[in-house]
Amino acid sequence: QEKMAYKDDSRNTAGNYYLDPQLIISAGMTLNSGTQFLYVFKPNTPTSAPSGTFTWTDTLDPRLDYVDGDIGCTFTTTARMVTCTETQSIPLGNIFKIIRVKIKSDATAGTLNNTSTLKVNSEAETTCSLALVVGTVTPTPTPTPTPTPDAGFLVQKFNDKNNNKSRDSGEAGLDWD
């Protein structure tokens, strides 16, 4: 089987996904927390596909949230398991399933290994892995506002006898009237 990852296209909706070759995420590529992307599962079989049932299973890393998937894909929260099933006999190039996931905002940095398993009818299972990297995002700190005194400013008036523009001893302040 083959497993690929794609950047999420803004037109994607649950069960309706756009796979643009320019949005392919290469193995080892770094993705930041909060990033949504697609996993695409497809069998890697000879020129003709067997008819029957194709079942993909994939246990998601705890740093990922399941967003949605193709028709025939379900997610079990407690096991973090995605199961996608296709039971139609269709041309080989058209057999694939897609799920959309999101890297959690508090995800720790490191390698994100993901392995899926494919079982066709009662044949032996095959596995396929894809490793991506969760990067760290250093958030831009929100500046702390500098406290400002009450509106206005303080003016001190005094009799500057020696014209040095500072209040010296013996130079009395003037009263406000």
Side-chain angles (χ1 to χ4, degrees):
Q1 71 167 314
E2 183 180 8
K3 183 175 195 173
M4 298 180 72
Y6 286 79
K7 294 177 184 174
D8 193 22
D9 187 298
S10 62
R11 300 171 292 175
N12 290 341
T13 58
N16 189 26
Y17 306 98
Y18 293 87
L19 301 178
D20 183 337
Q22 294 181 357
L23 298 179
I24 291 175
I25 300 170
S26 303
M29 187 172 175
T30 300
L31 301 173
N32 292 321
S33 60
T35 301
Q36 279 193 173
F37 64 97
L38 308 174
Y39 276 132
V40 180
F41 312 107
K42 60 188 212 178
N44 189 12
T45 57
T47 55
S48 63
S51 60
T53 302
F54 293 78
T55 304
W56 287 270
T57 55
D58 192 331
T59 302
L60 295 182
D61 185 285
R63 294 173 288 178
L64 294 177
D65 281 329
Y66 177 81
V67 177
D68 51 46
D70 264 335
I71 294 171
C73 293
T74 58
F75 179 65
T76 307
T77 307
T78 53
R80 304 202 45 74
M81 175 75 71
V82 177
T83 303
C84 297
T85 304
E86 180 63 61
T87 57
Q88 299 176 5
S89 177
I90 52 181
L92 179 61
N94 294 330
I95 299 175
F96 59 90
K97 288 294 182 183
I98 301 170
I99 62 170
R100 185 165 34 174
V101 296
K102 181 177 182 177
I103 300 173
K104 292 181 178 184
S105 59
D106 61 351
T108 56
T111 303
L112 182 67
N113 287 313
N114 187 268
T115 301
S116 59
T117 301
L118 170 64
K119 186 165 180 79
V120 180
N121 299 322
S122 58
E123 296 176 17
E125 293 179 342
T126 59
T127 60
C128 183
S129 295
L130 179 63
L132 302 173
V133 176
V134 175
T136 56
V137 176
T138 305
T140 305
T142 304
T144 305
T146 304
T148 56
D150 292 339
F153 51 91
L154 174 64
V155 175
Q156 284 189 324
K157 289 190 173 190
F158 56 93
N159 186 1
D160 190 9
K161 293 181 182 175
N162 59 3
N163 292 322
N164 67 352
K165 298 187 180 167
S166 66
R167 186 173 178 186
D168 301 317
S169 66
E171 296 177 339
L174 302 175
D175 292 331
W176 294 97
D177 289 333

